Amino acid sequence: MTSRPAPSPHNTVRPRRRSALLPTIIIVVVLVIALVIFAGLYTDMLWFGQLGFSTVFWREKLAKLLIFAAGFVIMGAGVYFSIRAAYRARPVYAPDNQRDDNLNRYQAQLEPVRRVVMVGVPVVFGLFAGTAAMAQWDKVMLFLYRVPFGEKDPQFGLDISFYTNTLPFLGFVTGLLISVTVVAFIAGLLTHYLYGAVRLAEHGVFTSRAAQIHMAVLAAVFLVLLGINFWLDTYGTLQNNGGYRAGAMYTDVNAVIPTKAILAVAAVIVAVLFVVAAFIGRWKLPLIGTGMLIITAIVAGGIYPWAIQYTQVRPTEGTVEAPYITRNIDFTRQAYGLSGMEVTPYNATTTATPGALRKDASTVASIRLLDPNLISSTFAQLEQYRPYYEFPKTLNVDRYTIDGKVQDAVIAVRELNPNGINPGQQSWYNQHLVYTHGYGVVAAYGNTVTSDGKPVFMQSGVPSTGVLGTDTSYQPRIYFSPSMTDYSIVGAPKGATPVELDRPQGSTPTSKDAADTSGESMTTFAGNGGPSLGNWFNRLMYAMKFQSSDLLLTNGVNNQSQILYNRDPASRVAQVAPYLTIDGNPYPAIIDGRVKWIVDGYTTSSYYPYSQQQQLQEATTDSLTNNGGVAALPNASINYIRNSVKATVDAYDGSVDLYAWDTQDPILKAWEKVFPATVKPYTEMSGALMSHVRYPEDLFKVQRELLGRYHVTDAGKFYANQEAWSVPDDPTTKTVDKQPPYYLSLQMPGQDKTAFSLTTDFIPQEIQGTESRNILYGFMAANGDAGDVKGVKSPDYGKLQLLELPVDTQVPGPGQVQNTFQSDPTVSEQLNVLKLGQSDVINGNLLTLPMGGGLLYVQPVYVQSTGSTSYPTLQRVLVAFGNKIGYAATLNDALDQLFGGNSGASAGDANVQKEAGTAGSSTEGAVGSTNPALAKALNDASQAMKDSQAALTKGDFAAYGVAQKALQSALNAAIAAEGAAPKAGATPSATAKPSPTAKP
């Protein structure tokens, strides 16, 4: 027998070192994770505190912590005591077969870690339950701080707050307790099995007496909770959204609600039978009761309602369901703010007569020609000044009082574009300390352009100048805007050398490097815009938050430094008001010497009784959101919405003010109790702020989507669905997207003054796979004028007015009008002239205006040449009234054409002088007169361009030269022929000059 060699000393030491290192590594990892979590919480505390919303931070965190703890304790305690009871009730016996011997081995292996398992399993399930419960914190808060609506439901006579605040909370609590009971039952059963209290025997399943009592009690608890759930379901029927009509219908009221009540009582009775059986040891009755409960649930919960639906409802559904459809209509309109809508029958004329617009002179003068969805690049080319500035893809429409007259304006701010910094200059220092802000407001009159089609600016330039102020009368620096997604470090002691690039001085940089700051003015932020970085601890915390060693080591931070982050106005408001859904289009305005972002916030609910559910993202998606111009609302379903809060975010220092706009909203009142003193009354809003409030887009989109059906208030007509409407598709885009609503100033029929409004069209319901007429059935406007008096809201603000056209109307819809514009021979020929030289002709937004006793359509036509620096300019205006159209270089001329030589009113561009050229033609149906000479010249030009391209492809430059001469001759002939075209209007208009032909 050989002896084994002695173990090496190294072999004995290494395992000890490894075993010693492992706990150290675990401790270090835990400490790092804890430090990162602490850094996140600490910096959030600083951020909320600097903004003055510490109450929101602490109350939300405390509420979530307490709810997490409650969920954790309830689940953990339930599972722990179930396992503990099963363990203590384990039988003691000598193993008599191989199976029992195996169980003993399992028990022996588990015994060393039994205490850990008995605690660890409940802890794990408790963590899951606590996390899930914490996500429902809003339901708990709304229940604890609920405010009555003062309105009762028609079925049970309960206040609406029971459905929006109480019922969701009770459902959450019941669901949590059912989960605890099920998990505790499974944990107890497994423990009983592991220790032999439950085992498979030759004659069935053996269960000890203690195990029977334990499992029976848990089953009884489950059944009681199930009974409570059945009882709550009786009220939940009023929130049903299974069909196209929400709420409890005839079958629900007469079959589902009674059977739910029966099931609730039956479940409690069976629960009692389980408890009794556990103590007397006879299981026949509870088992029979369980079977009867299941059969009752199938019959009463499924078969009986089905039988009622098919025997009593379907044969006369329209009549039987009428009272319940009326409930659905009334409560849906109430939940979405449609109940006070004014409906006006509008028998629109389709005949354009001279002087028809005389009574609409104020609206005509305000008709917006600038399309905010198209002219961002125009603003950029004319007003950007440096690559590190940018304008949003979609500009905003607002209004300003100038010389006592309200003027619609297309407005934007020069936001900072971090990607515009030269790649060679994109160092951490430049990105976070030098390029920190945008500069200045740019605004143009909405109703006119220059003679060459460019915007007429009311505010522009660097330094900022214009009728809205100068950079001394308002603060032009933009530190907070939607484009600002990264953090900046700003601030310095007095007398320190500024490091922030402020604005161009009016001359280009001396270097070819676009990021060269020579010749640029510098500045230092002087506000209170972010948490302090003046001590090393804060720097360390923020370095961890943003995972940046540069932030910790840079010499650019001083004792006065502040860090600006969360700079998007919408997300900024969302964080200080976590209960709000934020509108997708914040907009800037100059208010009391500051640039303020105005943000609309909504309180919503998905529990309003008898109200139809709406999917927010779907309802707010249109051609603008799909093109990335504005954001749609998140993917959530609601059936109640209010524009409860108007918020402002200061573009310079980021300060946030929340104003309670809908003071009657019970949901907002509840949240004001949760977070007291965080929302100001709207009576504190200044007159300047009031004058820039507008009706919010996303609320309007949700309302118009519902109005397609809910403009019908008669239950019979609603059921027949013969008068349903749709929002038309945007005829100016190639994709099938809904037309967005448009802001414009107009005087609605029956109103005595012009109001800044948000408008939309309605056409007959579009059903997929079928053809429907694109004619106008309705036109809706929301009054967005809140007045200009401090703390006083105009009583007309928010009023919805619907113009309802006769069902036999012949007024064309937007799609038909656009088709007429594009198919008109003369218009088509003249647009082809604008396209020569490879310029693009772009159709602007197609506006609908109720004027002249009918509906007037106005569409600006833009021309954009090729090249990276090209931008669209307004060159023509198309108008339509009935089946008649007009086309000219100015809106004023086009309207005069349309209305027999004199519209009776002057448009905003009446004084714009364009070069002499051709005017458009006025037609009835299709244009009757065409220009053969122009058509021939255009055909010759087209052929010459094809010949030029073919010659270039072959490399035949001689042929290319000949083709170019032919092209030039054809263009000259086209211009001459267009100038000689027959005109129906009295005023000539300009012809855009074709772009020069390219040379090889």
Side-chain angles (χ1 to χ4, degrees):
M1 183 174 180
T2 59
S3 61
R4 294 181 180 178
S8 168
H10 298 290
N11 292 337
T12 59
V13 172
R14 283 175 184 169
R16 290 177 184 174
R17 286 178 178 173
R18 289 178 187 141
S19 61
L21 280 175
L22 185 59
T24 303
I25 292 172
I26 293 174
I27 291 172
V28 169
V29 170
V30 170
L31 288 176
V32 169
I33 294 173
L35 186 59
V36 170
I37 294 173
F38 173 77
L41 290 172
Y42 178 75
T43 52
D44 284 348
M45 180 190 69
L46 292 181
W47 187 86
F48 278 92
Q50 184 274 326
L51 267 181
F53 285 88
S54 293
T55 301
V56 175
F57 174 81
W58 289 112
R59 288 205 166 212
E60 181 181 356
K61 290 291 186 287
L62 181 60
K64 289 183 176 180
L65 180 63
L66 291 176
I67 295 168
F68 172 86
F72 176 86
V73 169
I74 293 171
M75 175 64 80
V79 175
Y80 172 77
F81 285 111
S82 180
I83 294 174
R84 187 168 180 269
Y87 175 75
R88 297 185 66 177
R90 67 192 184 281
V92 179
Y93 58 90
D96 57 0
N97 55 42
Q98 183 66 31
R99 175 189 168 282
D100 292 334
D101 189 51
N102 288 337
L103 279 177
N104 274 352
R105 281 203 301 270
Y106 295 149
Q107 295 166 12
Q109 292 173 1
L110 179 63
E111 187 59 29
V113 294
R114 175 180 57 79
R115 294 180 183 274
V116 175
V117 172
M118 288 183 66
V119 174
V121 170
V123 166
V124 170
F125 280 103
L127 290 173
F128 281 114
T131 303
M134 184 173 63
Q136 306 297 318
W137 75 283
D138 54 339
K139 293 180 180 178
V140 178
M141 293 296 100
L142 285 175
F143 169 72
L144 295 176
Y145 295 94
R146 60 194 179 277
V147 174
F149 277 64
E151 300 167 1
K152 299 184 183 298
D153 79 89
Q155 182 62 37
F156 297 103
L158 298 173
D159 189 87
I160 301 300
S161 63
F162 173 79
Y163 298 93
T164 59
N165 299 54
T166 303
L167 193 58
F169 170 76
L170 296 178
F172 155 66
V173 172
T174 304
L176 174 63
L177 294 177
I178 287 176
S179 299
V180 171
T181 305
V182 170
V183 175
F185 182 90
I186 295 172
L189 182 63
L190 291 175
T191 305
H192 281 303
Y193 177 78
L194 182 63
Y195 286 96
V198 175
R199 64 180 185 271
L200 298 176
E202 293 182 2
H203 302 291
V205 178
F206 167 78
T207 307
S208 70
R209 183 82 178 136
Q212 290 178 5
I213 295 174
H214 184 192
M215 296 296 99
V217 170
L218 287 177
V221 172
F222 173 80
L223 286 167
V224 170
L225 293 172
L226 187 63
I228 294 173
N229 203 51
F230 281 134
W231 187 261
L232 294 178
D233 281 347
T234 63
Y235 301 103
T237 55
L238 274 63
Q239 300 167 330
N240 285 347
N241 270 277
Y244 69 91
R245 297 183 299 272
M249 295 290 117
Y250 180 90
T251 299
D252 296 311
V253 171
N254 293 280
V256 175
I257 290 176
T259 55
K260 291 286 186 182
I262 293 171
L263 288 171
V265 174
V268 173
I269 292 173
V270 176
V272 173
L273 292 177
F274 264 96
V275 174
V276 172
F279 289 97
I280 66 175
R282 297 179 182 178
W283 296 94
K284 186 175 182 180
L285 283 178
L287 293 177
I288 293 174
T290 301
M292 292 300 297
L293 180 63
I294 294 172
I295 293 172
T296 303
I298 294 173
V299 175
I303 296 176
Y304 178 61
W306 176 87
I308 294 294
Q309 181 70 25
Y310 276 81
T311 59
Q312 297 186 28
V313 177
R314 286 195 66 177
T316 56
E317 189 171 17
T319 303
V320 171
E321 297 282 31
Y324 307 102
I325 293 175
T326 299
R327 292 180 181 180
N328 171 253
I329 294 171
D330 292 343
F331 277 75
T332 298
R333 288 168 64 94
Q334 185 172 299
Y336 288 94
L338 296 171
S339 55
M341 182 177 60
E342 178 185 338
V343 180
T344 304
Y346 191 60
N347 190 12
T349 180
T350 56
T351 303
T353 58
L357 302 184
R358 188 167 290 111
K359 293 182 179 179
D360 300 294
S362 60
T363 300
V364 173
S366 302
I367 293 176
R368 180 169 51 77
L369 294 174
L370 290 187
D371 184 348
N373 313 315
L374 291 181
I375 62 170
S376 176
S377 59
T378 305
F379 270 46
Q381 288 299 320
L382 300 177
E383 286 292 324
Q384 184 170 301
Y385 288 98
R386 292 293 189 269
Y388 50 79
Y389 290 141
E390 69 176 352
F391 290 99
K393 188 173 182 179
T394 294
L395 310 185
N396 272 290
V397 180
D398 200 357
R399 71 282 194 199
Y400 287 84
T401 302
I402 300 171
D403 296 330
K405 183 179 180 181
V406 178
Q407 296 276 359
D408 285 4
V410 175
I411 189 171
V413 298
R414 287 188 199 85
E415 301 183 50
L416 180 67
N417 175 22
N419 296 323
I421 306 173
N422 188 292
Q425 299 292 322
Q426 290 188 5
S427 64
W428 180 90
Y429 190 92
N430 275 346
Q431 289 178 320
H432 298 285
L433 280 87
V434 177
Y435 295 90
T436 58
H437 62 276
Y439 184 90
V441 169
V442 179
Y445 292 91
N447 63 343
T448 189
V449 293
T450 64
S451 59
D452 56 353
K454 298 175 184 175
V456 177
F457 291 105
M458 63 173 66
Q459 190 72 25
S460 62
V462 175
S464 183
T465 58
V467 296
L468 304 185
T470 66
D471 60 0
T472 58
S473 66
Y474 84 97
Q475 174 56 263
R477 292 164 186 87
I478 310 298
Y479 283 88
F480 293 83
S481 71
S483 71
M484 307 292 284
T485 56
D486 211 343
Y487 65 91
S488 288
I489 298 172
V490 299
K494 290 183 179 180
T497 302
V499 298
E500 296 178 56
L501 189 149
D502 189 22
R503 59 174 173 79
Q505 289 280 53
S507 60
T508 57
T510 57
S511 168
K512 293 182 180 179
D513 183 355
D516 183 10
T517 61
S518 59
E520 313 288 293
S521 68
M522 310 299 285
T523 191
T524 298
F525 178 78
N528 179 20
S532 171
L533 287 179
N535 61 72
W536 276 97
F537 184 74
N538 284 7
R539 288 181 67 176
L540 175 62
M541 293 296 98
Y542 277 106
M544 296 185 65
K545 178 181 180 68
F546 293 111
Q547 301 178 16
S548 172
S549 59
D550 293 303
L551 194 155
L552 186 64
L553 303 176
T554 181
N555 62 0
V557 176
N558 55 72
N559 61 358
Q560 296 297 316
S561 290
Q562 304 171 40
I563 184 166
L564 313 182
Y565 62 102
N566 294 338
R567 299 162 78 180
D568 172 32
S571 62
R572 205 166 175 84
V573 173
Q575 286 187 282
V576 301
Y579 50 88
L580 293 179
T581 299
I582 306 300
D583 191 272
N585 191 18
Y587 59 100
I590 298 178
I591 299 169
D592 301 323
R594 310 283 284 198
V595 178
K596 300 273 191 179
W597 293 96
I598 301 176
V599 184
D600 286 289
Y602 309 112
T603 46
T604 62
S605 175
S606 57
Y607 302 107
Y608 202 90
Y610 275 106
S611 180
Q612 197 69 35
Q613 290 275 354
Q614 280 281 88
Q615 211 286 328
L616 284 180
Q617 189 176 71
E618 181 181 345
T620 56
T621 297
D622 55 28
S623 61
L624 289 187
T625 58
N626 284 338
N627 289 334
V630 295
L633 290 182
N635 187 14
S637 292
I638 63 155
N639 64 2
Y640 172 89
I641 185 170
R642 289 290 185 271
N643 178 208
S644 54
V645 171
K646 299 283 187 183
T648 63
V649 177
D650 192 293
Y652 183 73
D653 63 19
S655 56
V656 178
D657 289 306
L658 306 176
Y659 298 96
W661 188 249
D662 188 340
T663 57
Q664 303 304 312
D665 177 30
I667 303 293
L668 176 62
K669 289 180 180 179
W671 284 116
E672 287 184 288
K673 292 169 68 176
V674 176
F675 302 117
T678 57
V679 182
K680 303 175 183 179
Y682 77 81
T683 52
E684 295 186 17
M685 295 172 69
S686 70
L689 176 55
M690 281 285 189
S691 68
H692 291 286
V693 164
R694 66 186 193 185
Y695 199 83
E697 286 182 78
D698 285 333
L699 173 61
F700 190 74
K701 291 178 185 179
V702 172
Q703 289 175 322
R704 71 172 183 174
E705 198 69 22
L706 271 168
L707 204 64
R709 294 204 64 216
Y710 285 88
H711 69 279
V712 178
T713 56
D714 178 83
K717 294 179 179 178
F718 186 93
Y719 174 79
N721 199 34
Q722 294 176 348
E723 298 181 12
W725 298 343
S726 291
V727 176
D729 294 328
D730 190 342
T732 66
T733 61
K734 295 180 180 179
T735 55
V736 180
D737 299 314
K738 285 179 287 192
Q739 186 180 43
Y742 295 123
Y743 285 107
L744 46 90
S745 291
L746 63 86
Q747 183 175 339
M748 288 287 284
Q751 302 299 315
D752 56 2
K753 61 181 180 179
T754 301
F756 187 71
S757 305
L758 189 56
T759 66
T760 192
D761 297 337
F762 293 101
I763 61 173
Q765 185 179 38
E766 293 182 316
I767 301 175
Q768 191 172 7
T770 63
E771 289 286 339
S772 59
R773 294 183 67 198
N774 196 288
I775 56 176
L776 205 66
Y777 266 13
F779 176 87
M780 183 171 72
N783 188 315
D785 275 341
D788 58 3
V789 179
K790 180 182 185 302
V792 179
K793 188 195 305 184
S794 168
D796 293 328
Y797 174 86
K799 284 189 176 179
L800 301 176
Q801 184 175 357
L802 175 65
L803 302 183
E804 202 168 43
L805 279 67
V807 293
D808 59 349
T809 180
Q810 297 300 314
V811 176
Q816 281 191 6
V817 170
Q818 189 69 55
N819 182 69
T820 302
F821 286 159
Q822 293 174 345
S823 61
D824 182 282
T826 301
V827 172
S828 203
E829 287 176 356
Q830 295 178 18
L831 290 179
N832 284 334
V833 173
L834 298 178
K835 294 178 183 178
L836 292 176
Q838 299 186 359
S839 293
D840 292 327
V841 174
I842 307 171
N843 294 319
N845 46 206
L846 183 58
L847 303 178
T848 309
L849 301 103
M851 299 166 58
L855 276 303
L856 173 69
Y857 288 94
V858 177
Q859 182 175 60
V861 178
Y862 291 83
V863 176
Q864 181 171 356
S865 63
T866 56
S868 59
T869 59
S870 64
Y871 56 89
T873 58
L874 193 150
Q875 297 298 332
R876 295 290 185 272
V877 181
L878 286 160
V879 292
F881 194 92
N883 291 320
K884 193 175 182 181
I885 69 171
Y887 171 72
T890 66
L891 173 60
N892 199 69
D893 290 347
L895 291 176
D896 282 342
Q897 283 181 32
L898 188 63
F899 291 95
N902 181 12
S903 68
S906 295
D909 62 353
N911 295 323
V912 176
Q913 299 297 319
K914 296 241 178 181
E915 297 177 4
T918 181
S921 61
S922 176
T923 68
E924 189 72 30
V927 172
S929 60
T930 59
N931 189 333
L934 177 60
K936 181 180 184 304
L938 292 175
N939 289 333
D940 291 344
S942 177
Q943 185 60 48
M945 292 176 71
K946 292 178 182 177
D947 293 342
S948 297
Q949 187 61 42
L952 278 178
T953 303
K954 295 177 181 178
D956 188 347
F957 291 104
Y960 177 80
V962 172
Q964 283 292 290
K965 289 181 180 179
L967 176 58
Q968 187 61 52
S969 299
L971 290 177
N972 292 335
I975 294 171
E978 188 190 15
K983 309 175 186 58
T987 306
S989 60
T991 300
K993 295 179 180 179
S995 300
T997 54
K999 294 183 179 181

